[in-house]
Amino acid sequence: MNTKNLFGGQAVIEGVMMRGAGRIAIAVRRADGSIALQVSNYRPWTERWPWLGLPLVRGAVALVDALVTGIRALNYSARVVEEDEVGGRSAPDAQGDGRLLALVNALAVALALVVFVLVPTWLAAWLPAGGDLARNGVEGAVRLLLLLGYLLAIGRIPDIRRVYQYHGAEHKAIHALEAGAPLTPAGARPFSRFHPRCGTAFLLFVAVLAVAVHALFGWPGFWWRTAIRVALVPVIAGLAFEWIRLAGRSRSRWVAALAAPGLWLQRLTTEEPGDDQLEVALVALRACLGEDTLTGREAARQGVALATVTAPVAGASPGVPGSGVSGGA
């Protein structure tokens, strides 16, 4: 396969978003069993501004892109599910209040910064003894424990477990594509639900790398320390991005050993999917590939409701191939 068209994806509500080959496709299973599909053209920022594709820089771009594209995909899937819940009619606010969505998303990002940046560094400051390195180590350990606790807690919610199954379906679909297997539920089923380029692994590497990078700046006062932590997010994301790329393409044993914790962590964020969920992931993947099999009799047979958007996606940018940061492999 063309390495320039490596695919990424993300699980959404009752569906999967896939991105690659110049397209973004979101497939969502409707209550009646049909599949709603939205396809958009996708032009990476690196095609317009090549310097954004430089090593380390592209990692920060990928992080922003994962947030923007992922939120849009989640909003689309939520609208489809909401329409089903009101009897197939458009919900009163189906288009959504753009300003309200922006506010909610901004608050979510702010809350994540508070929980995973402010809380760990505040707790580590209470360490009664030890040098700067010890405090940075405790801060990193607290951050990692918060991440693990969060993943474990939300994984117990039934609706989230459904999302985790779609996450596994996304990984299996991408594995099938990379292996040249048939893009059918039977062809994708044997593959692993874990993928080395998953966004879950990305988060783990961010948490680990943050300890080493933060240690270089000692242990200044709380507000200076917080400002440094926030300012270093793009740098750490860039380093983690390069590691994810290496882990996804290398066959080295030591790379595989270092990547193993990221694969293990995916046990918390993926579940084995059913064939119906694999079908949804594969519909999105095939739509990105431009396969003309979702029209006419084939679409009717699969029960696919196809809505194609031909305008380029505003703000689209490159993401981590495979999943997770690009949305989730």
Side-chain angles (χ1 to χ4, degrees), residues 277-295:
Q277 292 161 317
L278 285 171
E279 182 185 23
V280 172
L282 292 164
V283 162
L285 182 57
R286 291 165 60 191
C288 281
L289 290 168
E291 294 186 5
D292 190 21
T293 57
L294 298 174
T295 58

Side-chain angles (χ1 to χ4, degrees), residues 246-312:
L246 176 62
R249 66 173 182 266
S250 175
R251 296 296 178 266
S252 167
R253 289 186 177 181
W254 72 267
V255 171
L258 291 175
L263 295 176
W264 178 88
L265 190 59
Q266 291 173 50
R267 296 178 184 276
L268 303 182
T269 62
T270 64
E271 295 284 350
E272 283 295 329
D275 282 359
D276 60 330
Q277 292 161 317
L278 285 171
E279 182 185 23
V280 172
L282 292 164
V283 162
L285 182 57
R286 291 165 60 191
C288 281
L289 290 168
E291 294 186 5
D292 190 21
T293 57
L294 298 174
T295 58
R297 287 179 296 179
E298 177 69 10
R301 185 182 68 80
Q302 292 192 18
V304 175
L306 177 60
T308 303
V309 180
T310 57

